[in-house]
């Protein structure tokens, strides 16, 4: 059986996660350097419709894995199934997006497979000995090139560095489904506790309004929500102090110890631009920064720099956008 490039694809509410579409692009580049068939794997309740979408729209061969007890993401359940399945598939490369899910699953899966684990791959190169993955270290100050020495490798693809795989190019792939034995669980999935804020997840958001300590007080987060509400597929995120102080839950934190995001538009409000924050939003498309300090480091990352008091400027911005 030929060795395969497998992409573990995330979906949310029936939509393929943009970060997974980037992982598919990375897989396609890897295929050019190290020829092998690509297979997308989906798991859980949306597995079959997502596999069909991958095959029909992205031309990928896709395998939907279904099992009793497999609903949403669970490291425990997925790790009970994936090692055996990936062995059967002769997976040489296992790619997934470096989302919070990928960062949870990837290293544990690599340990089970006795495989190399390459986190945060943002580029792909090759020399005479084969593919090399490029990743940032020290918050983006240095680049590291890594070649796996093991028989298989798990690669976490950093969002924001590969173009999302385009739908509609090329012939359709083949979707298949595989029923596996029920997963013995030590935990049960309960309905998710109410979302603390409406809108998209950070992984899915096309527009992120990010709040920093410069907002002054948590009540001013309502300005961020009003601004975000003007855009479809938007979310409000925060810097670490904002989450440390309980203004937002940690799952909305952007940065090295939070989420890595790649929205089309990132509006940084009252954020200084510390390297630990910037490492999480460097993959954003257009960056707008609002800060009252013209020397703020965030302006080094911004395409549009607004030197203003964010609490006074944001209502005016919202009013102007509403008037468009
Ligand atoms: P501040 O640094 O306090 O900056 C506030 C900014 O708001 C300033 O630039 C100020 O000029 C501006 N401002 C003040 N008032 C106004 C106003 N009225 N209008 C407009 N602008 C105003 N940070 C993260 O964000 N994410 C991480 O994942 C993360 N991980 C870390 C991991 C480690 C190991 C360490 C050591 C630190 C980490 N940090 C992280 C913290 C990071 O170093 C910074 O302390 C943090 O990002 C600063 O947050 P901030 O920009 O909101 O606040």
């Amino acid at each position: 059986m030929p060795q395969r490039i497998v992409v573990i694809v995330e979906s949310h509410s029936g939509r393929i996660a943009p970060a997974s579409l980037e992982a598919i692009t990375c897989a396609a580049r890897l295929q050019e350097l190290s020829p092998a068939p690509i297979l997308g794997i989906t798991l859980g309740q949306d597995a079959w419709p997502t596999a069909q979408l991958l095959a029909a729209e992205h031309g990928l061969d896709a395998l939907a894995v279904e099992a009793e007890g497999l609903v949403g993401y669970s490291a425990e359940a997925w790790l009970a199934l994936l090692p055996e399945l990936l062995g059967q598939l002769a997976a040489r490369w296992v790619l997934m997006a470096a989302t919070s899910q990928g960062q949870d699953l990837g290293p544990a899966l690599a340990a089970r497979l006795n495989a190399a684990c390459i986190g945060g791959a943002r580029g792909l190169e090759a020399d005479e000995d084969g593919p090399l993955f490029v990743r940032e270290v020290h918050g983006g100050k240095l680049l590291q090139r890594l070649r796996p020495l093991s028989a298989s490798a798990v690669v976490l693809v950093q969002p924001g560095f590969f173009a999302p795989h385009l739908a509609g190019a090329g012939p359709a792939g083949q979707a298949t489904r595989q029923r596996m034995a029920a997963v013995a669980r030590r935990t049960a999935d309960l309905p998710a506790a109410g979302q603390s804020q409406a809108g998209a997840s950070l992984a899915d958001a096309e527009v992120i309004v990010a709040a920093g300590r410069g907002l002054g007080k948590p009540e001013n987060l309502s300005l961020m929500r009003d601004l975000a509400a003007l855009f479809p597929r938007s979310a409000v995120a925060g810097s670490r102090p904002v989450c440390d102080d309980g203004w937002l839950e940690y799952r909305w934190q952007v940065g090295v110890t939070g989420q890595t995001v790649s929205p089309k538009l990132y509006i940084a409000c009252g954020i200084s631009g510390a390297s630990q924050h910037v490492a999480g939003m460097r993959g954003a498309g257009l960056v707008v920064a609002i800060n009252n300090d013209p020397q703020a480091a965030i302006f080094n990352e911004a395409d549009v720099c607004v030197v203003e008091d964010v609490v006074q400027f944001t209502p005016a911005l919202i009013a102007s956008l509403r008037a468009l």
Side-chain angles (χ1 to χ4, degrees):
M1 185 189 296
Q3 292 206 320
R4 281 199 171 86
I5 301 170
V6 167
V7 186
I8 296 177
V9 176
E10 266 181 60
S11 67
H12 305 284
S13 312
R15 184 170 175 264
I16 300 169
S20 289
L21 294 177
E22 294 184 37
I24 295 171
T25 302
C26 181
R29 294 232 193 114
L30 179 59
Q31 187 182 43
E32 288 165 16
L33 302 172
S34 177
I38 300 177
L39 179 73
I41 291 188
T42 59
L43 296 99
Q45 58 195 354
D46 284 342
W48 181 233
T50 309
Q52 288 176 305
L53 207 62
L54 282 171
E57 296 196 359
H58 292 275
L60 221 63
D61 288 338
L63 175 65
V65 179
E66 297 162 322
E68 194 186 315
L70 201 60
V71 186
Y73 170 67
S74 150
E76 184 190 28
W78 290 32
L79 288 168
L81 298 173
L82 280 171
E84 185 190 337
L85 180 67
L86 292 168
Q88 289 167 5
L89 293 169
R92 164 77 180 94
W93 305 98
V94 182
L95 273 56
M96 65 189 83
T99 54
S100 48
Q101 177 180 307
Q103 294 187 48
D104 186 53
L105 177 70
L109 182 60
R112 301 282 171 97
L113 296 171
N114 198 21
C117 185
I118 298 178
R122 50 162 276 176
L124 193 50
E125 297 176 358
D127 65 10
E128 62 279 7
D129 293 321
L132 296 163
F133 289 90
V134 183
R135 66 190 288 262
E136 291 183 353
V137 288
H138 300 300
K141 290 195 171 68
L142 292 174
L143 293 179
Q144 184 181 40
R145 286 172 177 73
L146 285 172
R147 183 199 323 285
L149 299 175
S150 49
S152 59
V154 173
V155 181
L156 307 181
V157 180
Q158 190 73 2
F161 292 96
F162 292 89
H165 194 263
L166 288 177
Q174 191 178 7
T176 46
R177 61 207 301 185
Q178 182 165 338
R179 189 91 199 151
M180 296 190 75
V183 184
R185 300 274 302 268
R186 283 166 296 220
T187 53
D189 288 324
L190 297 175
Q195 291 259 93
S196 65
Q197 57 172 333
S201 70
L202 288 187
D204 282 347
E206 293 186 347
V207 176
I208 292 179
V209 179
R213 190 150 47 186
L215 274 188
K217 52 183 181 180
E219 290 74 20
N220 288 335
L221 277 176
S222 61
L223 290 173
M224 306 292 99
R225 297 210 169 92
D226 290 348
L227 180 56
L230 298 175
F231 303 95
R233 303 204 66 77
S234 62
V236 173
S239 66
R240 179 156 156 178
V242 162
C243 298
D244 280 344
D245 290 350
W247 299 7
L248 286 174
E249 291 172 36
Y250 278 111
R251 63 199 172 107
W252 302 108
Q253 179 188 317
V254 170
V256 273
T257 46
Q259 305 254 6
T260 301
V261 297
S262 52
K264 291 182 180 160
L265 172 63
Y266 191 84
I267 309 178
C269 301
I271 289 182
S272 57
S275 60
Q276 294 91 350
H277 182 84
V278 169
M281 47 70 72
R282 196 172 279 126
L286 186 78
V287 177
V288 176
I290 308 167
N291 196 303
N292 62 3
D293 175 5
Q295 305 300 325
I298 192 71
F299 289 140
N300 298 329
E301 309 299 326
D303 302 289
V304 179
C305 305
V306 181
V307 183
E308 287 288 354
D309 182 319
V310 69
V311 180
Q312 291 176 8
F313 180 78
T314 309
L317 176 62
I318 292 168
S320 318
L321 290 171
R322 280 192 183 137
L324 286 178

